[in-house]
Amino acid sequence: MGGWGKELELWIDSGDIEEIKKAVELGAITGVTTNPTLIAKVGYTKDFREVVREICRIVDGPVSVEAVSLHADGIVEEARELVKLGDNVVIKIPVIPEGLKAMKRLSQEGIRVNATLVFSTNQALLAARAGAAYVSPFIGRLDDIGHNGMQVVRDAAQIFRSYNMPTRVIAASIRHPLHVIEAAKAGAHVATIPYRVIEQMVKHPLTDIGLERFLADWQKVVKQEAVKCP
Ligand code: E4P
């Protein structure tokens, strides 16, 4: 499965190369979103561009990298440089007026954009009309202030589908495994998930208990076999 298909995708939300490797090895993760905070958290000593190149080699699917200029010209310039780091780079641009202008120009150049810091359906709609390939409603941060983050995902996904708009909705700022299920039910095309939450999704105490029991019982079979055929 490539990273550009129409099916529901699960990506990792991380700037940590080791975490990204571990997540991609699981076989279910097809893309990456980073942001300046996630990259800063790792505290790399190597050049940021080298980090992006490496992430792009680890995963075949989209790798979102954020432009940090606040003016359209600067964002466009940054984006043109960032896409040279890997064929799969997608440029994250915040939904501000200058960001929308840059989205339009970049989409006309064929550079894929992920509209970030989306907190309303109106912002998602504007970004989609400006040519963004992806929009990222930040569910957790909306929930944190008492809003219903998932509603933005649901509304944007419904509008894009009903008008056959090509923009895809990424459920971002995910805080726990239930968010992933809710995002899938709300029609998100992608859920981008922190490594900690991916680990929580894999784990189930009944799986561990069941496995322990199977292994213990299998030992009994092996011992019986040994008695039968000494
Ligand atoms: C998405 O692309 C962002 O990197 C991310 O989900 C930010 O969310 P958080 O900082 O609220 O966890």
Side-chain angles (χ1 to χ4, degrees), residues 76 80 100-113 129-132:
V76 168
R80 287 179 184 149
L100 289 169
K101 291 182 205 167
M103 287 178 204
K104 181 75 188 169
R105 285 166 57 186
L106 290 168
S107 68
Q108 282 167 342
E109 288 181 26
I111 293 178
R112 297 171 73 87
V113 167
R129 291 306 304 160

Side-chain angles (χ1 to χ4, degrees), residues 110-161:
I111 293 178
R112 297 171 73 87
V113 167
N114 171 0
T116 191
L117 291 170
V118 169
F119 293 98
S120 73
T121 310
N122 279 321
Q123 288 180 316
L125 193 49
L126 286 168
R129 291 306 304 160
Y134 300 96
V135 297
S136 293
F138 276 36
I139 302 165
R141 292 195 198 183
L142 277 166
D143 288 359
D144 287 346
I145 59 159
H147 288 244
N148 184 349
M150 206 55 74
Q151 196 55 45
V152 180
V153 169
R154 190 171 295 110
D155 288 347
Q158 189 192 329
I159 292 167
F160 296 170
R161 284 200 171 96

Side-chain angles (χ1 to χ4, degrees), residues 13 33 35 38 92 138 141 172-173 175 192:
D13 192 28
T33 50
N35 67 41
L38 291 170
K92 252 182 166 180
F138 276 36
R141 292 195 198 183
S173 184
R175 300 272 198 263
T192 189

Side-chain angles (χ1 to χ4, degrees), residues 2-7 9 60-63 87-90 112 134 168:
W4 307 94
K6 287 288 178 202
E7 65 275 4
E9 291 183 43
D60 294 333
V63 174
D87 290 344
N88 44 352
V89 166
V90 173
R112 297 171 73 87
Y134 300 96
R168 306 183 75 206

